[in-house]
Amino acid sequence: MIDLSTRYLGLPLANPLVASASPLCESIDNIRAMEDAGAAAVVLHSLFEEQLDVESTHLDRYLAQGAESYAEALDYFPDLTGYNLGPDGYLEHLRRAKEAVGIPIIGSLNGVSAGGWIEFAKKIEQAGADALELNVYYIPTDPHLTGGQVEQIRRPRAKREA
Ligand SMILES: Cc1cc2nc3c(=O)[nH]c(=O)nc-3n(C[C@H](O)[C@H](O)[C@H](O)COP(=O)(O)O)c2cc1C
């Protein structure tokens, strides 16, 4: 058989097929099925930094407002209340995924603030992730902000409850 082994993020992989982040990874059975089907690694669905913040429902409401304005936009953003497991659930899910399969499990974090995601990135590492996918972006939801203002934003980390 042809040797398709490769390296990705320093990880030795049996082949270059890596399942990307999606709601399919919310089920351990699906992750097992991906391994059985030949996936060499799996990227878990993303945990959104907004889910760690008190203001998450606020952002979610604005995202939903735009996303439901026409049919094609419905899938732009996940429904933060229903899509994901929340911070603790995410870590537990990662631990269970690591126990269930032998392939590398890559965590995924969507960061918004300047460095606010770092704390949780460490927890993802401690939970056993082999690597971390990081998406950093700011989604402007205020229609009065100009493009220039958005580019100037260096969003401070949101305050968390103790
Ligand atoms: C329903 C759905 C949910 C997704 N959820 C995430 C996610 O949580 N995090 C992420 O980084 N990418 C997410 N993605 C993006 C995918 O991981 C992938 O990068 C994207 O679908 C491009 O691959 P494709 O061209 O094969 O669809 C999602 C995509 C879809 C369709």
Side-chain angles (χ1 to χ4, degrees):
M1 192 147 129
I2 300 171
D3 178 12
L4 294 176
S5 62
T6 185
R7 292 183 79 79
Y8 177 56
L9 306 172
L11 303 166
L13 300 186
N15 64 65
L17 286 178
V18 176
S20 65
S22 88
L24 281 178
C25 309
E26 286 186 311
S27 142
I28 299 291
D29 283 346
N30 282 347
I31 295 174
R32 276 201 203 96
M34 290 177 197
E35 180 182 46
D36 291 347
V42 166
V43 185
L44 289 190
H45 56 288
S46 298
L47 181 75
F48 286 73
E49 187 183 332
E50 296 92 320
Q51 289 178 288
L52 309 173
D53 293 336
V54 193
E55 68 199 75
S56 65
T57 47
H58 184 68
L59 179 82
D60 196 25
R61 182 158 50 85
Y62 279 107
L63 291 184
Q65 197 176 21
E68 281 162 20
S69 55
Y70 55 102
E72 290 82 358
L74 278 174
D75 292 335
Y76 279 6
F77 303 109
D79 168 9
L80 292 185
T81 51
Y83 175 62
N84 248 316
L85 303 163
D88 292 341
Y90 192 88
L91 297 176
E92 185 52 33
H93 184 63
L94 206 158
R95 280 187 209 102
R96 289 181 54 219
K98 281 295 294 176
E99 279 169 21
V101 295
I103 54 177
I105 298 291
I106 300 170
S108 178
L109 194 52
N110 281 46
V112 186
S113 66
W117 47 271
I118 291 176
E119 188 184 318
F120 206 78
K122 286 181 191 156
K123 291 186 179 172
I124 289 179
E125 181 185 26
Q126 285 158 8
D130 294 280
L132 180 64
E133 169 190 89
L134 178 66
N135 306 315
V136 183
Y137 61 79
Y138 169 68
I139 302 172
T141 51
D142 179 352
H144 302 296
L145 272 186
T146 66
Q149 285 171 316
V150 170
E151 286 175 12
Q152 295 305 315
I153 288 177
R154 289 191 53 80
R155 193 168 181 268
R157 179 182 169 174
K159 281 199 180 129
R160 310 255 159 85
E161 289 189 58

